[in-house]
Amino acid sequence: MSNIFIVSNYFTGVGLNDVVLYHLRLDTVEAGVGEYTNIIIASAAMIILSIFFTYKITKKKVASQFATIVLLLAIISSPLTHNLYTLLKPNEFQGVKIDIHKAGDEIAEIKDKKNLIIIYAEGFEKTYLNDEVFPGMTPNMRELEKQSLSFTNMYSNYGATWTIAGMVASQCGVPLEAAGEGNAMEGIFNFYGSAVCLPDILHSNGYIGAHLKGASVVFSGTKNYLKTHKYSLIKGKDDLKKKYPTARTNSWGFYDKNLFDEAKIVADNLAKKDNPFFLSVNTLDTHHPKGHVFPSCKINHQDGDSRLVKAFKCSDYYIKEFVDKIRASEYSDNTLIVVMSDHLSLRNLLSDKLQGMDRKNLFLINYPNNSKTGEVTKPGTHLDVATTLLAQLGTDYKVGLGVDLLKEEKTLYEQYGAKTDSYLKGMREEFLKLWSIKNLDKGIRVKDEFLYAGDNKFKIPLILYYDEKGKITPTYFLGKKKKIQYSRDLIRKSPNQAFTWIDYCDTFEEFFKTEAPSNEFCTISGKLSANLKIEPLDEGFHLSNDDIIDITKQKIDSKNFSNYRKLIDWNLNGPLKSLVESSKEGEIIQYTHLPKNFEQAFNRVSFKNTKTPDHFYRYISGKKQKPEIKINGKKYKATLVKNDTGLIKKIHNLLRKTLYVFTGRAYFPTVTGVQKLELIK
């Protein structure tokens, strides 16, 4: 547990939180991995040492008992336990509904069509402007703050604590609630397609949208978001590399100096057009943990400065230099410039100084000729940025959950304070609907190795899940290297879950132990409890809306679990392979023992069209208990293998699961396995 906390804390500075969980669901390997080599090696070493010492200690009975007591105390006092409790504790705001503008609603007219430039400064929170704590580090930003309208009480909020999330929250007025697993954000091309965001509104009013980023725009689905919400010009690391092949880069991409040089060129070109423009820029140099210093930058560097301090001094200079260049341009009088944090800093070389400080995000609006300056102390979050900016352009339009910070209406933070994150988490299901598929009456089709569902475009391989009405639920984009991850996701669903699965034909052969067509890609649609047919995927593939409805109406056959069993068999390992010897295919295991604290939760579970166990036994106390288990009326006692520290994390998934026994083996969608079953006579 300590290892998990230490690694999580290395990235976030606050242990395990939604930032860690989000990035675990992404393929982040190619993105700046060189910065984390030391923590990866240290983490692996800690795991090996833990295993070694555990083995040595448990060889002696007395030592083993003592070690168990120490372990329990360590678990109770562990910061990770607190993190898990914070993440998983019951939410008093569960099921909150929202009423916001969505795609298709009428868009407001902008009366004062000034150009708008937003600089998202990487982890550049307002806290760094404290010259007593960080002397000489941000003189230019402090000067810019005096020349701007500064919002001094910008709190961090759930779903806005990493780069793409900060952008989405500030432009759409809602937190980013990620859909799916694996590379989901990169594989779903219609990114939050049902949300109405700032660039959508600007586009509908004739603005030309452009975005520049020194890192990859593919990473985290940034490009998908930008395209979905009407950006016309998008440039990232790969695009800049083509234009500047000899430019120096770091492990993430281009330095801020080069980025702002290009941003000025783009702004100048856009300003020559008849339309107003919207330009957003993501900086990079101050990225945690150590920052990246442009090779020729020596601005205000002092002996003893860490690499991150030098990176902040350089980025501070380049941001102000870019603002000054815009203010010296012919289009300055018609341009608003915003400088803001993309999010609070994650753990970095300055985290020790940040600890205990009143940390706030940076949000400055710089007006032409410094016509508006001063401080706005009204508490707000990233969710209020878009609504506030539109008000500066002459329109009273509420974006998402946002509020104009210059008006009297209370922000979410003013209403809920420290409970704001809990309130937002209570709307998760509502935010997931922003990924919803539009115009599914067009059906599902394939073209040029992409799948189109209604108006949405997806990479393949993928699995689409359907609800009872034939609507596509939050979607999973997959990758060939993720086999075990997404096959397990499928079998964790009910056997009655309707789906369409498109994948490499050899993957289906491997999973279902049957010959597949010789094409590269194949498809299956239906339910694991039904007879599934592997079909070749070609340009003519099409599922109509009626076809999808028919898939959802397939009846579950409790005697037909051959496909379910094959997929499970592929995932079985260790003690699970030597379980039930006398059971027959389709028989149900019924757990008869249940800890009281889970009884109420399980009794609320609704299982439809399936035979299900009345109870699930959970091995929580760590004691060597032998619960009774019923199989078709006969009582058995079970020897449990071990307890898994991931237990609590998976409890919400467990509640919807059925448990089936197959010839010679069983699959338990829990974190505790059963090693042996003995018939009680």
Side-chain angles (χ1 to χ4, degrees):
M1 292 184 71
S2 296
N3 192 39
I4 296 172
F5 177 80
I6 290 170
V7 174
S8 299
N9 193 62
Y10 180 84
F11 290 101
T12 67
V14 292
L16 182 67
N17 63 5
D18 57 315
V19 180
V20 177
L21 297 181
Y22 175 83
H23 284 89
L24 283 175
R25 294 155 72 171
L26 295 174
D27 183 10
T28 59
V29 173
E30 64 180 83
V33 69
E35 294 186 71
Y36 311 118
T37 303
N38 292 339
I39 191 65
I40 292 171
I41 294 173
S43 177
M46 288 175 66
I47 292 172
I48 294 170
L49 288 172
S50 298
I51 295 172
F52 174 76
F53 285 118
T54 300
Y55 171 75
K56 288 290 186 182
I57 292 173
T58 54
K59 288 180 72 175
K60 295 182 179 181
K61 186 175 181 179
V62 175
S64 178
Q65 293 173 346
F66 176 74
T68 301
I69 295 172
V70 172
L71 177 62
L72 289 174
L73 291 174
I75 291 173
I76 293 171
S77 61
S78 171
L80 181 63
T81 302
H82 174 73
N83 290 158
L84 288 172
Y85 174 75
T86 301
L87 287 169
L88 300 171
K89 68 180 178 181
N91 190 345
E92 62 181 296
F93 300 107
Q94 198 64 38
V96 176
K97 302 296 181 182
I98 59 175
D99 182 19
I100 62 174
H101 291 295
K102 294 183 180 179
D105 292 350
E106 184 176 353
I107 298 295
E109 180 182 354
I110 292 177
K111 299 175 182 178
D112 186 7
K113 294 186 178 181
K114 283 185 169 61
N115 303 317
L116 179 61
I117 298 174
I118 300 181
I119 300 170
Y120 290 99
E122 170 62 42
F124 207 132
E125 56 187 84
K126 189 180 188 306
T127 324
Y128 291 125
L129 275 61
N130 186 325
D131 198 44
E132 292 182 3
V133 180
F134 304 100
M137 193 171 83
T138 58
N140 296 287
M141 195 67 76
R142 286 187 283 108
E143 181 183 356
L144 182 60
E145 183 182 31
K146 294 176 182 177
Q147 299 170 352
S148 307
L149 191 62
S150 176
F151 298 81
T152 59
N153 258 330
M154 298 298 290
Y155 291 85
S156 180
N157 66 269
Y158 168 78
T161 51
W162 63 99
T163 299
I164 182 60
M167 176 178 280
V168 169
S170 67
Q171 294 189 5
C172 306
V174 290
L176 175 57
E177 191 65 51
E181 301 288 344
N183 283 327
M185 303 301 99
E186 296 175 20
I188 305 176
F189 288 83
N190 196 357
F191 194 118
Y192 254 25
S194 291
V196 176
C197 305
L198 176 64
D200 299 311
I201 299 165
L202 296 175
H203 174 80
S204 69
N205 280 272
Y207 279 71
I208 300 173
H211 181 77
L212 272 70
K213 183 177 182 180
S216 169
V217 289
V218 175
F219 179 64
S220 296
T222 302
K223 190 172 185 178
N224 294 341
Y225 167 76
L226 298 170
K227 283 191 170 183
T228 298
H229 295 283
K230 310 300 190 303
Y231 276 85
S232 302
L233 176 65
I234 302 168
K235 290 187 177 184
K237 176 178 67 175
D238 294 339
D239 307 286
L240 295 173
K241 193 67 177 175
K242 292 176 182 177
K243 185 172 181 179
Y244 306 104
T246 61
R248 295 281 297 275
T249 59
N250 54 57
S251 59
W252 281 92
F254 277 74
Y255 291 97
D256 291 351
K257 173 67 169 67
N258 301 128
L259 182 69
F260 282 121
D261 286 346
E262 179 64 16
K264 180 58 167 60
I265 294 172
V266 170
D268 288 347
N269 290 335
L270 290 173
K272 295 175 183 177
K273 300 183 181 296
D274 295 332
N275 301 64
F277 70 83
F278 168 47
L279 171 63
S280 54
V281 181
N282 277 125
T283 70
L284 179 60
D285 286 4
T286 49
H287 196 283
H288 72 105
K290 299 178 182 179
H292 302 276
V293 183
F294 185 61
S296 62
C297 176
K298 307 296 180 184
I299 298 166
N300 197 28
H301 290 180
Q302 305 293 324
D303 292 340
D305 282 351
S306 68
R307 193 175 94 180
L308 184 60
V309 169
K310 293 177 181 178
F312 265 103
K313 289 180 176 181
C314 293
S315 189
D316 169 76
Y317 177 84
Y318 294 133
I319 290 172
K320 182 62 163 60
E321 181 184 51
F322 173 74
V323 172
D324 289 343
K325 287 180 179 179
I326 297 297
R327 286 293 166 232
S329 70
E330 295 179 356
Y331 50 90
S332 173
D333 289 345
N334 196 39
T335 302
L336 291 179
I337 304 174
V338 175
V339 181
M340 62 179 294
S341 321
D342 59 347
H343 52 76
L344 294 180
S345 284
L346 301 183
R347 182 163 182 80
N348 60 32
L349 297 179
L350 296 172
S351 291
D352 290 344
K353 289 188 175 183
L354 290 171
Q355 191 171 4
M357 296 186 69
D358 184 20
R359 299 175 65 183
K360 302 287 174 59
N361 276 305
L362 181 69
F363 179 30
L364 310 177
I365 303 178
N366 182 260
Y367 295 84
N369 303 310
N370 301 333
S371 57
K372 288 185 182 180
T373 59
E375 293 186 351
V376 177
T377 60
K378 183 182 180 73
T381 65
H382 269 43
L383 305 179
D384 303 306
V385 170
T387 300
T388 301
L389 293 180
L390 283 176
Q392 309 316 298
L393 299 176
T395 181
D396 185 17
Y397 188 89
K398 188 178 177 70
V399 182
L401 300 168
V403 165
D404 180 1
L405 293 170
L406 296 174
K407 297 286 180 64
E408 293 184 359
E409 183 182 356
K410 287 187 176 181
T411 65
L412 282 183
Y413 199 88
E414 285 180 299
Q415 296 177 61
Y416 298 102
K419 292 185 177 181
T420 301
D421 281 357
S422 294
Y423 181 74
L424 292 172
K425 290 176 183 178
M427 299 185 234
R428 278 173 170 165
E429 294 301 318
E430 294 291 295
F431 299 139
L432 283 172
K433 292 177 183 177
L434 298 175
W435 296 95
S436 62
I437 308 298
K438 299 295 183 182
N439 298 322
L440 194 54
D441 55 335
K442 295 180 181 178
I444 296 174
R445 58 212 181 276
V446 172
K447 183 179 180 182
D448 299 329
E449 296 192 357
F450 291 99
L451 181 136
Y452 295 83
D455 291 335
N456 291 47
K457 177 182 175 184
F458 302 91
K459 284 184 180 180
I460 53 179
L462 86 163
I463 298 178
L464 298 176
Y465 296 121
Y466 309 115
D467 65 17
E468 295 174 350
K469 296 180 180 179
K471 293 183 179 179
I472 296 176
T473 61
T475 309
Y476 293 77
F477 163 64
L478 313 171
K480 193 169 185 179
K481 62 184 176 182
K482 301 281 186 181
K483 283 181 183 178
I484 192 167
Q485 180 180 5
Y486 58 76
S487 64
R488 283 181 177 174
D489 179 75
L490 182 57
I491 57 180
R492 285 180 185 133
K493 305 286 184 183
S494 163
N496 201 29
Q497 172 67 60
F499 67 91
T500 292
W501 184 356
I502 295 176
D503 210 321
Y504 296 93
C505 294
D506 58 3
T507 296
F508 289 133
E509 282 190 351
E510 182 178 351
F511 283 155
F512 297 109
K513 299 178 177 63
T514 186
E515 185 176 351
S518 58
N519 295 47
E520 182 180 10
F521 288 103
C522 288
T523 180
I524 54 176
S525 292
K527 301 176 181 179
L528 284 177
S529 58
N531 289 317
L532 297 173
K533 183 181 180 182
I534 302 173
E535 298 181 303
L537 186 71
D538 52 40
E539 293 289 325
F541 173 79
H542 183 268
L543 285 176
S544 68
N545 196 41
D546 289 339
D547 292 332
I548 296 171
I549 296 296
D550 289 341
I551 291 171
T552 64
K553 290 182 177 179
Q554 288 181 4
K555 298 295 183 181
I556 189 170
D557 182 357
S558 61
K559 296 181 180 180
N560 183 8
F561 290 97
S562 58
N563 294 307
Y564 195 61
R565 186 176 73 254
K566 289 174 182 176
L567 201 58
I568 287 168
D569 184 59
W570 192 88
N571 281 274
L572 288 178
N573 57 73
L576 293 179
K577 285 189 176 292
S578 59
L579 290 183
V580 185
E581 297 180 356
S582 59
S583 58
K584 296 180 181 179
E585 180 179 322
E587 289 181 333
I588 306 300
I589 280 186
Q590 197 169 41
Y591 285 85
T592 59
H593 289 258
L594 181 72
K596 291 182 179 179
N597 54 326
F598 285 105
E599 187 168 1
Q600 185 178 3
F602 284 122
N603 287 341
R604 289 200 301 265
V605 179
S606 175
F607 295 91
K608 298 181 179 179
N609 303 321
T610 59
K611 294 181 179 180
T612 61
D614 292 335
H615 300 295
F616 290 86
Y617 174 79
R618 300 298 304 183
Y619 183 46
I620 296 174
S621 65
K623 298 178 181 178
K624 294 182 178 179
Q625 303 180 47
K626 292 188 177 182
E628 292 182 358
I629 292 176
K630 281 185 179 179
I631 300 180
N632 289 352
K634 294 181 180 180
K635 288 186 178 181
Y636 293 78
K637 61 181 179 180
T639 302
L640 299 170
V641 180
K642 61 179 180 179
N643 188 30
D644 190 311
T645 55
L647 173 68
I648 300 175
K649 291 176 66 176
K650 300 182 180 179
I651 188 67
H652 66 286
N653 286 329
L654 173 65
L655 298 182
R656 296 190 299 274
K657 306 304 177 285
T658 54
L659 189 153
Y660 297 92
V661 182
F662 307 103
T663 304
R665 49 181 58 89
Y667 171 67
F668 297 85
T670 67
V671 293
T672 300
V674 176
Q675 188 176 41
K676 183 180 179 182
L677 291 179
E678 303 174 42
L679 181 62
I680 301 173
K681 296 182 180 180

